[in-house]
Amino acid sequence: MPRDRKYRNGDRPNRVTASGYWKATGADRMIRAENNRSIGLKKTLVFYSGKAPKGVRSSWIMNEYRLPPPTTDADLFYKVIAPIERAKFD
C-alpha cells in the first residue's frame, strides 16, 4: 500500500493525523545485510500532539522502513527483471 502524499505529485509524505503529526528525527540509517550490502533505510519518527510548529512532543516513536534508491540503471533493471525471470521458471 503506497503511503499518503502531502502533495499529489511530490515525494514528501503526509504524516499529519487528526490529533497531531509524526516528525522525523535524526538522519536515515542504513540497514545492511550480513555481507554489508545495503538492503534498506530506517527512519525514526516522534509523535507531536497539536499542530506544527507548536506541537507537544510525546513519548511515542515509530520506525519507518523503506528500500534504498537504486544506485545505477543496471541495479534498477535487475530489481525489476530478476523476479520476472524467476517467475517464468517456477
Side-chain angles (χ1 to χ4, degrees):
M1 177 177 190
R3 56 181 183 183
D4 197 20
R5 301 284 179 202
K6 184 170 185 171
Y7 302 107
R8 188 168 29 127
N9 295 330
D11 287 335
R12 190 169 172 185
N14 185 11
R15 297 190 177 113
V16 177
T17 67
S19 59
Y21 59 98
W22 291 94
K23 183 177 178 182
T25 60
D28 292 359
R29 292 185 305 279
M30 193 70 66
I31 301 170
R32 299 195 177 273
E34 292 175 357
N35 61 0
N36 210 24
R37 189 174 136 252
S38 171
I39 59 172
L41 295 166
K42 177 181 176 181
K43 180 185 296 262
T44 302
L45 305 167
V46 176
F47 186 76
Y48 286 76
S49 57
K51 291 189 174 184
K54 296 183 179 183
V56 178
R57 185 181 175 137
S58 71
S59 60
W60 288 78
I61 64 164
M62 173 172 56
N63 292 315
E64 176 182 276
Y65 297 91
R66 59 189 168 88
L67 294 173
T71 54
T72 64
D73 290 339
D75 191 25
L76 178 61
F77 178 79
Y78 177 77
K79 287 181 179 180
V80 172
I81 298 301
I84 295 170
E85 292 296 321
R86 278 197 298 269
K88 287 180 183 177
F89 298 108
D90 288 343

